[in-house]
Amino acid sequence: MEDSGEVIEVTSVLSEAAEWDARYNERDQVWSGEPNGALVAELTGAPPGRALDVGCGEGADALWLARQGWAVTALDVSRVALDRAAAHAADQNTDITWVCSGLLDADLPADGFDLVSAQYPALRSTADHAAERALVSAVAPGGILLVVHHDMRDGHAAREHGFDPDDWVAPGDVAALLDTSWHIDVNEVRERSISGGAGAHHTHDVVLRAHRIRPCLQARTVPAASARVRVRM
């Protein structure tokens, strides 16, 4: 097993790092400490492999995955958050590598992960869709891509609170890049329930789960664009 207490620093530092460190330093615990509900719902019982947790925060998702047998690479720009996450995992026999980096700065292997999970990621939207492409390219053939974000269909209300959804990557932006080598399993709005922590006031999430088709099966599988899309309220 890897040493779950070590945090690997990536030399390039995103401008958001200081902002996130300051946010984490405002309180002893920012998030609920529980794994995200969509992650548990979609991955319970899935055969473990190599997982990438993008924007892992204080580590609850990474720990849950590791307890299910996954070998986890947990990525976040905040060293404060990663130090907390590593401390939570220090006395557990888990295979987690904590990496202090943004998604685009990390040296991630193409096709390197059997699961790429991005739960409420703070990924800036760009004209070249760099973040979306990084998420998609990291998934190995046969692997799962899980992207979850708060339901922001009421963009006007979000902007009134100083948040413009158009500035950030949403599950729909990722889904738009999935070609016929992918199958969309779930693309829906889902009620959420959480005990506390930042973001607890949000009542609905957008959940995208897709799997990358193995080449030998691709010819027998429907294109991602024609897969069933469900919306539940």
Side-chain angles (χ1 to χ4, degrees):
M1 293 293 181
E2 297 285 341
D3 181 1
S4 295
E6 180 183 0
V7 176
I8 298 173
E9 292 273 8
V10 174
T11 55
S12 55
V13 178
L14 293 179
S15 59
E16 290 92 347
E19 178 183 341
W20 279 103
D21 280 345
R23 181 175 180 181
Y24 279 107
N25 277 322
E26 289 176 353
R27 59 182 73 178
D28 293 335
Q29 180 175 320
V30 172
W31 311 112
S32 69
E34 303 170 359
N36 284 301
L39 178 79
V40 175
E42 297 298 328
L43 272 300
T44 294
R50 302 155 298 169
L52 175 66
D53 183 8
V54 178
C56 68
E58 292 162 323
D61 283 359
L63 276 167
W64 184 85
L65 286 167
R67 289 169 183 149
Q68 314 309 306
W70 293 84
V72 183
T73 298
L75 202 67
D76 204 282
V77 298
S78 172
R79 180 62 191 248
V80 176
L82 288 175
D83 284 345
R84 291 179 187 175
H88 294 154
D91 60 349
Q92 302 188 40
N93 186 28
T94 53
D95 189 351
I96 308 175
T97 301
W98 307 101
V99 181
C100 189
S101 174
L103 174 64
L104 299 182
D105 293 311
D107 186 17
L108 300 173
D111 307 339
F113 299 94
D114 305 298
L115 166 67
V116 172
S117 173
Q119 306 286 311
Y120 317 101
L123 300 172
R124 290 197 176 273
S125 180
T126 58
D128 61 356
H129 306 292
E132 297 97 308
R133 295 184 189 281
L135 292 173
V136 171
S137 65
V139 182
I144 297 169
L145 175 63
L146 180 63
V147 184
V148 180
H149 227 304
H150 302 305
D151 179 20
M152 293 293 182
R153 286 176 294 176
D154 188 356
H156 178 71
R159 293 182 186 94
E160 286 184 341
H161 289 84
F163 179 87
D164 189 344
D166 293 338
D167 291 339
W168 305 95
V169 172
D173 301 319
V174 180
L177 293 184
L178 302 181
D179 58 21
T180 56
S181 66
W182 288 84
H183 184 272
I184 295 177
D185 305 305
V186 176
N187 188 11
E188 67 181 22
V189 176
R190 180 181 300 177
E191 290 187 14
R192 73 191 298 261
S193 177
I194 190 170
S195 62
H201 58 287
H202 291 282
T203 61
H204 291 80
D205 286 337
V206 181
V207 179
L208 170 68
R209 173 179 168 160
H211 70 269
R212 187 174 171 191
I213 302 167
R214 297 183 188 276
C216 62
L217 299 177
Q218 187 170 343
R220 293 179 287 167
T221 307
V222 297
S226 64
R228 181 172 51 137
V229 176
R230 296 176 289 158
V231 177
R232 289 197 316 227
M233 294 298 292

